[in-house]
Amino acid sequence: MRLQKDFRDLERVDKELMYAKNHYILIGFISEKYNDGVNVREYALWNEYGTLYIPARPFFRRATNTRKAKRLINNYAKRQIGKVIDTRGHFTMEQAYNAIGVYVVGQIQKSIKRGNWQQNAPSTVRRKGKSNPLIDSGSMINAVSFEIRRR
């Protein structure tokens, strides 16, 4: 009886590993969104890397590509995958991917809100009425999303 249960657990974990092999998480500015005629994805790119008129404010890289960010994301992902492997079997790889996607989106949004970014130019402050860089209408921070895609 116990051996039969162990095989069912192994089969379930194998099924979840196949899901992981055939899917991935895409995180960023996925859908085409516009704010005042400007593509939000392009606006995010301009801010991330800077332009002739906009200083670089690498909110995305700070949230995902620093040593600390990678450690936080990896630790979170390991905990989610551990839930999948748990023999109780109540957590799927799809649920783990969704949890990881929500977590990383939250980290990017936190970086946008809390980053110690170079302030807006005085002309920008006069035009916008505020000095908080990266947040104006909220369209960029709200456009950060994720999708689980099949390979």
Side-chain angles (χ1 to χ4, degrees):
M1 181 73 161
R2 175 77 178 132
L3 186 59
Q4 185 178 10
K5 181 180 179 340
D6 288 344
F7 281 127
R8 283 195 308 264
D9 288 339
L10 288 173
E11 289 168 355
R12 182 190 60 77
V13 170
D14 185 57
K15 177 182 155 216
E16 298 304 332
L17 290 173
M18 287 305 295
Y19 180 91
K21 179 181 176 184
N22 293 317
H23 294 81
Y24 65 97
I25 309 168
L26 180 66
I27 301 170
F29 297 88
I30 299 167
S31 62
E32 290 290 320
K33 294 189 178 185
Y34 289 85
N35 182 37
D36 293 334
V38 177
N39 182 306
V40 176
R41 183 183 306 147
E42 288 178 10
Y43 180 75
L45 189 66
W46 299 336
N47 276 284
E48 177 73 19
Y49 292 99
T51 69
L52 184 59
Y53 304 104
I54 300 171
R57 296 177 177 119
F59 63 91
F60 197 93
R61 288 175 288 171
R62 189 174 290 172
T64 60
N65 208 28
T66 64
R67 185 175 292 144
K68 179 181 177 184
K70 288 177 181 180
R71 182 177 43 79
L72 290 171
I73 293 168
N74 283 333
N75 287 341
Y76 187 83
K78 285 177 186 177
R79 287 194 305 275
Q80 300 312 305
I81 293 167
K83 291 179 185 179
V84 174
I85 295 170
D86 185 304
T87 57
R88 289 179 287 245
H90 298 296
F91 202 72
T92 66
M93 200 65 194
E94 182 178 12
Q95 289 171 310
Y97 275 15
N98 273 301
I100 294 164
V102 167
Y103 176 78
V104 176
V105 165
Q107 293 297 100
I108 296 166
Q109 291 171 331
K110 190 185 308 181
S111 177
I112 291 170
K113 288 180 196 171
R114 297 183 185 162
N116 187 18
W117 311 118
Q118 181 176 337
Q119 292 299 306
N120 287 330
S123 59
T124 304
V125 174
R126 282 192 298 277
R127 186 173 44 82
K128 288 183 173 184
K130 50 185 139 179
S131 65
N132 191 354
L134 300 183
I135 300 177
D136 184 14
S137 66
S139 59
M140 187 175 79
I141 199 167
N142 292 325
V144 182
S145 62
F146 77 96
E147 288 180 4
I148 299 171
R149 293 193 174 174
R150 189 165 181 79
R151 292 188 195 278

